[in-house]
Every structure is written in C-alpha cells, then in structure tokens.
Amino acid sequence: MIPSELVIDHSVIAYVFGTSCAFAANAKLEFFRNKERYQLELLRWAQQAFSDFLVRPPIQASVTRSTLSTSPA
C-alpha cells in the first residue's frame, strides 16, 4: 500500500494571540468546539486497520487543496 494521510482541514479561529500559551489555548478550543469531527469511529478504525494510513487534525497539519489524478498509460 502507498502511505496516506488524511488531514482534517478547515478554518481555525485564533481567539487567543500574543502570548506563549496561545497555540495550546486555541488548540483546546478547536477540539472542544469541533469534537464531533475528531470522534468519528470510521477514522479511528481506518488508522488501526491500515498501517500506512494516518489521520491528522488541523492542529498538526494543514492542507489548502488536494488533487488526486492519474497519468495516462
């Protein structure tokens, strides 16, 4: 299998800024407000079922656009 990563990406609002704890505070708020996105059983199952598949929340990674395509033979 080809290693794959699923990045759960959406707008993250920075409510706390200008302090050394801003990142941690915003991450905590993000997970609290959108916990249903991160508690999907399918995502947990997929990470455990496939050794080359990772799920990354927006705090760990960011993608603005992904395009999957195939090349003609």
Side-chain angles (χ1 to χ4, degrees), residues 15-34:
Y15 289 100
V16 181
F17 55 92
T19 67
S20 60
C21 64
F23 180 83
N26 286 314
K28 185 176 180 178
L29 284 168
E30 167 65 20
F31 284 109
F32 177 76
R33 289 197 177 101
N34 296 291

Side-chain angles (χ1 to χ4, degrees), residues 2-70:
I2 298 171
S4 302
E5 293 186 12
L6 171 65
V7 178
I8 302 172
D9 191 31
H10 60 91
S11 297
V12 177
I13 300 170
Y15 289 100
V16 181
F17 55 92
T19 67
S20 60
C21 64
F23 180 83
N26 286 314
K28 185 176 180 178
L29 284 168
E30 167 65 20
F31 284 109
F32 177 76
R33 289 197 177 101
N34 296 291
K35 60 185 167 190
E36 71 282 355
R37 294 178 187 214
Y38 311 118
Q39 292 178 347
L40 295 175
E41 291 299 320
L42 177 64
L43 298 179
R44 274 196 215 138
W45 171 84
Q47 273 196 135
Q48 294 171 358
F50 303 104
S51 61
D52 293 335
F53 180 73
L54 295 172
V55 176
R56 299 198 183 272
I59 301 304
Q60 294 180 355
S62 180
V63 172
T64 55
R65 183 176 179 179
S66 291
T67 304
L68 300 176
S69 61
T70 59

